Amino acid sequence: MPIDVEAARKLPFDPIKVAVERGRLRFFAKAIGETDPVYTEVEAARQAGHPDLLVPPTFFFSLELESPEPFGYLAALGVDLRRVLHGEQSFTYHRMAHAGDSLTLEPRITEAFSKKGGALEFLVKQTDISRHGELIAEARSVVVVRNPEVPQ
């Protein structure tokens, strides 16, 4: 079933509020193989001029998984999750974030389009990440939906 592009662009998302905790940062740094101690040792982070552990570069993507239904927007658009592929993700960083920060994530669909006569549909979601109203980063992700029943 084709994605309703206008419905996708108008789909409301609730802001996600998260507290950045040291333990989660350490775990994430270990999981991605990060060895720089500014991500795992408070003293090393402070010696490098940070107030606390630094947030690893791709950590923001995992924060969206904090919402009760992180992929609920796909279900709301009638997307069969068995046909979803991770297409791409990218980040634009404006400021550093650290353990102890309270962040607000505000996701929205910015684009929806199809290729190959509708056999592939693309949803582009951007999430603005802020701390007390100050933009910290922008996370962009692309989800690809396969529609094998569409004749090519």
Side-chain angles (χ1 to χ4, degrees), residues 102-134:
S102 294
L103 301 177
T104 301
L105 288 74
E106 298 178 82
R108 67 188 180 283
I109 301 292
T110 57
E111 290 181 68
F113 59 92
S114 65
K115 291 186 178 183
K116 295 192 175 195
L120 295 175
E121 294 184 292
F122 297 79
L123 286 172
V124 181
K125 184 170 58 124
Q126 179 168 317
T127 301
D128 294 339
I129 299 130
S130 61
R131 177 182 53 224
H132 308 298
E134 177 182 51

Side-chain angles (χ1 to χ4, degrees), residues 13-28 54-71 89 91 93 95-107 125 127-131 136-139 141:
F13 287 82
D14 291 329
I16 304 162
K17 297 188 181 288
V18 295
V20 180
E21 301 166 348
R22 285 179 182 161
R24 291 181 60 199
L25 293 180
R26 287 181 180 118
F27 180 81
F28 189 85
L54 189 59
V55 169
T58 58
F59 181 74
F60 293 129
F61 184 74
S62 71
L63 291 178
E64 283 196 65
L65 301 175
E66 295 288 312
S67 64
E69 292 186 49
F71 302 106
Q89 72 184 34
F91 302 89
Y93 299 98
R95 290 169 181 70
M96 300 289 189
H98 302 89
D101 285 349
S102 294
L103 301 177
T104 301
L105 288 74
E106 298 178 82
K125 184 170 58 124
T127 301
D128 294 339
I129 299 130
S130 61
R131 177 182 53 224
I136 300 297
E138 298 158 277
S141 63

